[in-house]
Amino acid sequence: MAKPARVLIDGEWRDSNADGSFEPADPGKMAPTGEEYPVSSESEVVEAVEAAAGAAEELERHCPDGVADFLEAYADRIEARRAELVEIANRETALPASPRLDDIELPRTTGQLRQAAAAARERSWSLATIDTAAGIRSVYGPLGGGVAVFGPNNFPFAFNGAAGGDFAAAIAAGNPVIAKANSSHPGTTRVLAEEAFEAVTACGLPPATVQLIYRTDHEVGKTLVSHPAIAATGYTGSRSAGLVLKEAADRAGKPIYLELSSINPVVILPGALRERGEEIAGDFQTSCLMGTGQFCTNPGVILLLKGEESEAFVDAAKTKFQEAPVGTLLGSSVLSGLQHSVDSLQQAGADLITGGAAGGGNGYSFQNTLLQVSGEQFLSSPEELQTEAFGNESLLVVAEDVEQAAQVARHFEGNLTGSVYSHSGSDDEDAYETIVPILRRKVGRLLNDKMPTGVAVTPAMNHGGPYPATGHPGFTAVGIPASMLRFGMLQCFDEVRDHRLPASLRDVNPGGMWRSIDGSWTQADVQ
Amino acid sequence: MAKPARVLIDGEWRDSNADGSFEPADPGKMAPTGEEYPVSSESEVVEAVEAAAGAAEELERHCPDGVADFLEAYADRIEARRAELVEIANRETALPASPRLDDIELPRTTGQLRQAAAAARERSWSLATIDTAAGIRSVYGPLGGGVAVFGPNNFPFAFNGAAGGDFAAAIAAGNPVIAKANSSHPGTTRVLAEEAFEAVTACGLPPATVQLIYRTDHEVGKTLVSHPAIAATGYTGSRSAGLVLKEAADRAGKPIYLELSSINPVVILPGALRERGEEIAGDFQTSCLMGTGQFCTNPGVILLLKGEESEAFVDAAKTKFQEAPVGTLLGSSVLSGLQHSVDSLQQAGADLITGGAAGGGNGYSFQNTLLQVSGEQFLSSPEELQTEAFGNESLLVVAEDVEQAAQVARHFEGNLTGSVYSHSGSDDEDAYETIVPILRRKVGRLLNDKMPTGVAVTPAMNHGGPYPATGHPGFTAVGIPASMLRFGMLQCFDEVRDHRLPASLRDVNPGGMWRSIDGSWTQADVQ
């Protein structure tokens, strides 16, 4: 076995002051990779936090142009090592090199970095607000310390702690990042961090702008998110580990943004099924099995109304699930978690329609699985029947009528998304109006006539939602510039002399950023 | 003794299902008032939470016009009972009827309610964001349940749970409120809630839009803020009680906005003192002793640089503090807390300049008090020397030089405000540039050449700051419309048909609200 990989602390790639090490697995081969990565000790994490806090003051002086230059240079460097990155990520995650990693996720990642650069440079994200009569001005600015970013297992690039959405948002808002690699793709993360650090150096940013560790135990993770000198945390991953970190951060008064779990209910109304049932079944199969179902926005619950159309839909979906190839899962823990969830759903009263057992594909795999339950049964065990099954599985809930479907919706937990398919005319309008006011409160994003898996990087996106989908219903993890606000503090200036104000609040506005002056948004100078 | 006051639950003034009762004191007479108020039981609080959740769905249909009408009608009703309200509040708090309660705080309160009404009606607070190409639109909307509002002891009107800033913001954002009166002015709060409920009824809002309880024990308070059907909490008050509620809310994944404590450092540089030292000493005395020092933004620490100017300032301040009348404190617990804090500061090394003992004024009172400590001593016990002394007291810290002053600033906890007085020319510019980048990170609002006690209700205000001043550095409790965002959820609509969108996101924009369409703010329709 090779020597453990080095960590990046305070501008130096160095041997970890480790508490131990771990060896990731190759999910396609179901075998260890032979690579070894360190588990960082408490003292190493504290060193990183303190280095980030030291870098924060200096980094603010590079805002926004130096930070924007860095994000763009980093995107270029990722593209320069594209083939290598795709190869490593494919090996570590078994996600398809093409079309997924090379054609979709990597361009999305560099696109996010460039959008973040543009937003930082343009400054309008910071919601500058000026009251000329009162002499009071405010704007969002950096938090004054490092942001810890924990990336999930399912997006080795786009949500990576050292390159993904939280990383881009935190840096663009002017904060150093301490990236915690996901243990399922540490090699991908190391290559990304190498390029990030080269770009940091090339752009003259403080060396501790980007740091990298690979894993910690729970106690050290708690130290990281609750240290007096940490500014905030972004976490995407399992609910159980996320809640451990949340408790520690909350206790210390440190903001923590969590994306925890979501079953993304999809309501399919009868008029839509009569009109285009086969097409919707196809949409469903594609969305549910994409990436072997390992999406935060995977459609995990389909809510139907009892009737012929729904029976036909279930039959069509069953056939499509059986015919579709079975993908490889990210690792053994995903496989065992999926099996456990499918078992739990059955114990709670769900019937197996198809699948239900491990195997059927290459490496770690599980049959494409559909379960079904009546609305009545769902209402008798709503908590158990909302068990997230992370992977290529979905639960069909068949309600007796619209009222019962509304009752089911009333029992939904907080979710990232909720979708409603309805007749293109008005056939389903009454049902829509009954169910959607309830569903709307439960989800961050409401969709019409489409599956939830696509998450466009647009300023209007909300990739968030009520707890337990996330830790706060007011923030989004995707969509620049809104996602940057998570990593800003509201800074107010009361009668502060013009030359001492940040550039974004001075009378003159040479860059033409949008500012709210005396209640009107404008790109003009203060008159 | 009279029968305990009635609570307002689910549209009914009724006898409380109480766990006990309490009798408030008249602070001017240092004697019980003879009035009795109930301590609500867990079942009563749960009933209120469930009624609010039920009202939330219906209330959304009254947004924004019905809610705005209510806020305006309520403001009118407060003015109609103005004399009675001022009389009760004066008796309960000993705050001066005039100029404080009648001339400043009551108009501020009705002004806030009317500003909130205007903001609700105008809708721009909700940051509507439209991406026409992607078909994705988002806006902040109601949370879908009740907001619990805990008002503090020091503002019987402007921060009252049933009429103050959090109340106005929560309602204007479309959420029912469960008001928890402060135990020091339950009678004032009851009269306010009577008028609020009359306005609710007159405007045809759901009866549970406003509810009132007077007190709970800690366990029931925790139930209130963490109940599955509560949406969020606004709390202004002591750090210890606030942290108990925070832990419960955090554990349940419920947003809680806290304004806990702040010592509001004021840095006074030598050039400013040479120029206008006597004037600044007057500003300081006025600000520190206003309302007997019982302001969240009371200047609790004055940071000076060693030298003749600072010695003269200390002498002047001492004289002014000795000559100023001693006000009445809000109650016996404020008096004992102040004595305890002054003792703690002395034990941590501060010298008494003047005052330091109870008495000197009418009712519960404490001598106007100044303490002093060297920068070196401060740095040796920074935590103890930042003990908040809520009342007419301030600590003068005299640093050896600018570098030591910067070190002192580096040890400041999160605060609501930080002020810097400097020479009107450039004499203090170097010191300013050394100290302020450090101070800026520690405070929500940075002031130049003024004391922090004035908190204007403007869109650019930040009455917030890093923990432990508040629970999150990104939000303000004062300043409409920004304060409303605390009580909104980000609602995204993905390819939702135009007629199903909320009015604020449809193509046509008849009210001319500000929206960000494809990256530009505009009042126009979608083209």
Side-chain angles (χ1 to χ4, degrees):
Chain A
M1 188 174 286
K3 196 173 161 189
R6 292 186 299 174
V7 292
L8 174 61
I9 307 286
D10 199 11
E12 196 190 344
W13 285 102
R14 67 180 201 202
D15 293 337
S16 172
N17 172 9
D19 272 349
S21 67
F22 70 99
E23 185 183 4
D26 178 330
K29 295 184 179 156
M30 295 193 285
T33 59
E35 292 167 355
E36 194 181 346
Y37 291 88
V39 178
S40 288
S41 63
E42 174 155 330
S43 66
E44 183 157 280
V45 161
V46 168
E47 197 179 343
V49 171
E50 289 173 349
E57 258 178 64
E58 190 187 338
L59 189 63
E60 187 159 355
R61 291 193 286 274
H62 293 270
C63 286
D65 290 338
V67 160
D69 290 346
F70 157 74
L71 290 164
E72 287 165 351
Y74 181 25
D76 293 346
R77 287 180 168 274
I78 289 174
E79 283 166 357
R81 281 181 86 173
R82 176 175 187 144
E84 183 184 354
L85 277 163
V86 168
E87 187 273 325
I88 299 175
N90 168 256
R91 176 159 41 80
E92 291 191 320
T93 66
L95 292 168
S98 179
R100 163 72 185 262
L101 293 170
D102 196 35
D103 312 79
I104 299 170
E105 196 180 331
L106 192 139
R108 177 192 179 95
T109 308
T110 53
Q112 282 179 162
L113 291 166
R114 292 191 177 107
Q115 276 194 40
R121 216 185 283 283
E122 201 266 339
R123 303 181 196 249
S124 297
W125 74 274
S126 56
L127 301 180
T129 304
I130 297 176
D131 180 335
T132 57
I136 298 180
R137 303 175 183 217
S138 64
V139 69
Y140 282 87
L143 290 168
V147 172
V149 180
F150 292 71
N153 59 2
N154 58 341
F155 281 88
F157 301 147
F159 286 76
N160 193 296
D166 283 357
F167 172 91
I171 297 258
N175 308 285
V177 164
I178 300 166
K180 207 290 282 173
N182 190 283
S183 303
S184 77
H185 48 259
T188 308
T189 310
R190 191 193 57 230
V191 174
L192 287 167
E194 284 171 9
E195 294 309 313
F197 184 58
E198 289 297 319
V200 161
T201 307
C203 295
L205 300 190
T209 299
V210 178
Q211 300 180 87
L212 173 67
I213 59 175
Y214 298 97
R215 186 186 271 189
T216 67
D217 67 21
H218 272 186
E219 287 308 310
V220 175
K222 285 155 69 174
T223 299
L224 172 56
V225 303
S226 66
H227 190 281
I230 198 81
T233 295
Y235 170 92
T236 308
S238 77
R239 191 188 297 195
S240 58
L243 292 183
V244 168
L245 297 178
K246 174 172 159 49
E247 183 172 352
D250 286 342
R251 194 181 297 272
K254 299 293 182 180
I256 181 166
Y257 301 97
L258 304 143
E259 194 198 313
L260 294 176
S261 59
S262 185
I263 57 171
N264 306 298
V266 178
V267 183
I268 310 182
L269 296 173
L273 289 175
R274 279 196 299 277
E275 198 175 45
R276 54 190 201 281
E278 186 71 21
E279 178 191 330
I280 296 170
D283 279 7
F284 169 48
Q285 182 256 98
T286 303
S287 176
C288 184
L289 303 184
M290 185 189 296
T292 321
Q294 300 162 115
F295 277 73
C296 351
T297 49
N298 185 59
V301 166
I302 309 293
L303 179 55
L304 301 163
L305 295 179
K306 196 169 179 177
E308 281 177 16
E309 308 87 349
S310 293
E311 283 171 29
F313 173 82
V314 174
D315 287 344
K318 177 180 174 181
T319 304
K320 287 178 192 294
F321 269 58
Q322 288 171 341
E323 288 172 357
V326 171
T328 302
L329 295 166
L330 291 161
S332 65
S333 64
V334 173
L335 173 58
S336 61
L338 181 54
Q339 180 75 67
H340 186 263
S341 293
V342 168
D343 293 347
S344 298
L345 291 166
Q346 289 179 272
Q347 280 156 28
D351 296 323
L352 195 65
I353 302 290
T354 186
N362 184 44
Y364 298 116
S365 65
F366 195 84
Q367 295 167 347
N368 298 327
T369 297
L370 284 175
L371 298 159
Q372 182 173 339
V373 74
S374 69
E376 188 179 353
Q377 181 65 30
F378 184 93
L379 291 172
S380 74
S381 304
E383 194 174 327
E384 296 78 359
L385 286 164
Q386 289 181 78
T387 301
E388 186 184 33
F390 188 72
N392 46 334
E393 178 276 352
S394 193
L395 172 67
L396 308 161
V397 180
V398 183
E400 205 61 36
D401 52 27
V402 172
E403 288 310 314
Q404 193 179 62
Q407 274 305 107
V408 168
R410 213 173 275 285
H411 284 80
F412 285 150
E413 290 191 321
N415 276 283
L416 295 172
T417 71
S419 306
V420 185
Y421 281 79
S422 61
H423 185 259
S424 62
S426 60
D427 285 10
D428 291 319
E429 211 62 16
D430 288 349
Y432 188 96
E433 284 171 15
T434 302
I435 296 168
V436 169
I438 301 161
L439 184 65
R440 175 65 277 185
R441 307 290 185 80
K442 309 284 190 169
V443 305
R445 179 166 53 118
L446 176 75
L447 304 95
N448 272 190
D449 306 304
K450 59 192 286 199
M451 288 287 160
T453 24
V455 184
V457 184
T458 141
M461 176 51 63
N462 180 15
H463 191 61
Y467 184 86
T470 78
H472 193 294
F475 294 101
T476 177
V478 172
I480 293 159
S483 64
M484 294 165 64
L485 286 175
R486 297 175 299 160
F487 303 115
M489 72 171 277
L490 184 56
Q491 299 187 343
C492 176
F493 297 82
D494 190 337
E495 302 275 18
V496 171
R497 302 180 196 175
D498 194 73
H499 74 278
R500 292 168 170 175
L501 289 170
S504 53
L505 290 179
R506 289 184 197 145
D507 284 354
V508 299
N509 180 20
M513 70 179 282
W514 284 99
R515 309 192 294 183
S516 176
I517 301 181
D518 298 331
S520 292
W521 287 94
T522 173
Q523 293 177 287
D525 294 343
V526 172
Q527 298 306 312
Chain B
M1 188 175 286
K3 198 173 161 188
R6 292 186 299 174
V7 292
L8 174 60
I9 306 288
D10 199 9
E12 196 190 343
W13 284 102
R14 67 181 202 200
D15 292 338
S16 173
N17 173 7
D19 271 349
S21 68
F22 69 99
E23 185 183 6
D26 177 329
K29 297 185 179 155
M30 295 194 286
T33 59
E35 291 167 356
E36 194 182 345
Y37 290 88
V39 178
S40 289
S41 63
E42 174 155 330
S43 66
E44 183 158 280
V45 161
V46 168
E47 198 180 343
V49 171
E50 290 174 348
E57 259 179 63
E58 191 187 337
L59 188 63
E60 187 159 356
R61 291 193 287 274
H62 293 271
C63 287
D65 289 339
V67 159
D69 290 345
F70 158 73
L71 291 164
E72 287 165 352
Y74 181 26
D76 293 345
R77 286 179 169 273
I78 289 173
E79 284 166 356
R81 280 180 88 173
R82 177 175 187 145
E84 183 184 354
L85 277 163
V86 167
E87 186 274 323
I88 299 176
N90 168 257
R91 177 161 39 82
E92 291 192 319
T93 65
L95 292 168
S98 179
R100 163 72 185 263
L101 292 170
D102 196 35
D103 310 81
I104 300 171
E105 195 180 332
L106 192 140
R108 177 192 178 96
T109 307
T110 52
Q112 281 180 162
L113 291 166
R114 293 193 177 105
Q115 277 194 39
R121 217 185 283 284
E122 202 267 340
R123 304 180 196 251
S124 297
W125 74 274
S126 57
L127 301 179
T129 304
I130 297 176
D131 180 336
T132 57
I136 298 180
R137 303 177 181 213
S138 63
V139 68
Y140 281 87
L143 290 167
V147 172
V149 180
F150 293 70
N153 58 2
N154 58 341
F155 281 88
F157 301 148
F159 285 77
N160 193 295
D166 283 358
F167 172 90
I171 297 259
N175 309 285
V177 164
I178 301 166
K180 208 290 283 171
N182 190 282
S183 304
S184 76
H185 48 259
T188 308
T189 310
R190 192 195 55 228
V191 174
L192 288 167
E194 283 171 8
E195 294 309 312
F197 184 58
E198 289 296 319
V200 161
T201 307
C203 295
L205 300 190
T209 299
V210 178
Q211 300 180 87
L212 173 68
I213 58 174
Y214 298 96
R215 186 187 271 187
T216 67
D217 68 21
H218 273 186
E219 286 310 308
V220 174
K222 285 156 69 174
T223 298
L224 172 57
V225 303
S226 66
H227 190 281
I230 198 82
T233 296
Y235 170 93
T236 308
S238 78
R239 191 189 297 193
S240 58
L243 292 183
V244 168
L245 298 178
K246 174 171 158 51
E247 182 171 353
D250 286 342
R251 193 181 298 272
K254 299 293 181 180
I256 181 166
Y257 301 96
L258 305 143
E259 194 199 311
L260 294 176
S261 58
S262 184
I263 56 171
N264 306 297
V266 177
V267 183
I268 309 181
L269 296 173
L273 289 176
R274 280 195 299 277
E275 201 176 42
R276 54 190 201 282
E278 187 71 21
E279 177 192 331
I280 297 171
D283 280 8
F284 169 48
Q285 182 256 97
T286 303
S287 176
C288 184
L289 303 185
M290 186 190 295
T292 321
Q294 300 162 116
F295 277 73
C296 352
T297 49
N298 185 58
V301 166
I302 308 292
L303 179 54
L304 302 162
L305 295 179
K306 196 169 178 176
E308 281 176 15
E309 308 86 350
S310 294
E311 283 170 30
F313 173 82
V314 172
D315 287 344
K318 176 180 174 181
T319 303
K320 287 178 192 295
F321 269 58
Q322 288 170 341
E323 289 172 357
V326 172
T328 302
L329 295 166
L330 291 161
S332 65
S333 64
V334 173
L335 173 58
S336 61
L338 180 54
Q339 180 74 66
H340 185 262
S341 293
V342 168
D343 292 348
S344 298
L345 291 165
Q346 288 179 272
Q347 280 157 29
D351 296 323
L352 195 65
I353 301 291
T354 185
N362 185 43
Y364 298 117
S365 66
F366 194 84
Q367 296 167 345
N368 297 326
T369 298
L370 284 176
L371 298 158
Q372 182 172 338
V373 75
S374 69
E376 188 179 352
Q377 181 66 29
F378 183 93
L379 291 171
S380 75
S381 304
E383 195 175 325
E384 295 77 1
L385 286 164
Q386 289 181 75
T387 300
E388 186 185 31
F390 187 73
N392 47 333
E393 178 276 353
S394 194
L395 172 67
L396 308 160
V397 181
V398 183
E400 204 62 36
D401 51 26
V402 173
E403 287 310 315
Q404 193 179 61
Q407 274 305 108
V408 168
R410 212 173 276 284
H411 283 80
F412 285 150
E413 290 192 321
N415 276 283
L416 295 170
T417 70
S419 305
V420 185
Y421 280 79
S422 62
H423 184 260
S424 62
S426 58
D427 284 11
D428 292 319
E429 211 62 18
D430 288 349
Y432 188 98
E433 284 172 15
T434 302
I435 295 167
V436 169
I438 300 161
L439 184 65
R440 174 65 278 186
R441 305 292 185 80
K442 308 284 189 168
V443 305
R445 178 166 54 117
L446 177 75
L447 303 96
N448 271 190
D449 306 305
K450 59 192 286 199
M451 288 288 159
T453 22
V455 184
V457 184
T458 141
M461 176 52 63
N462 181 15
H463 190 63
Y467 185 86
T470 79
H472 193 294
F475 294 101
T476 177
V478 173
I480 292 159
S483 64
M484 293 165 65
L485 287 174
R486 295 175 299 159
F487 303 115
M489 72 171 277
L490 184 57
Q491 299 188 342
C492 176
F493 298 82
D494 190 338
E495 302 275 19
V496 171
R497 303 179 196 175
D498 194 72
H499 73 279
R500 293 169 171 176
L501 290 170
S504 52
L505 291 178
R506 290 184 197 145
D507 283 354
V508 299
N509 180 19
M513 71 179 281
W514 285 99
R515 309 192 293 183
S516 175
I517 301 181
D518 299 332
S520 292
W521 287 94
T522 174
Q523 293 177 285
D525 294 343
V526 172
Q527 300 304 314

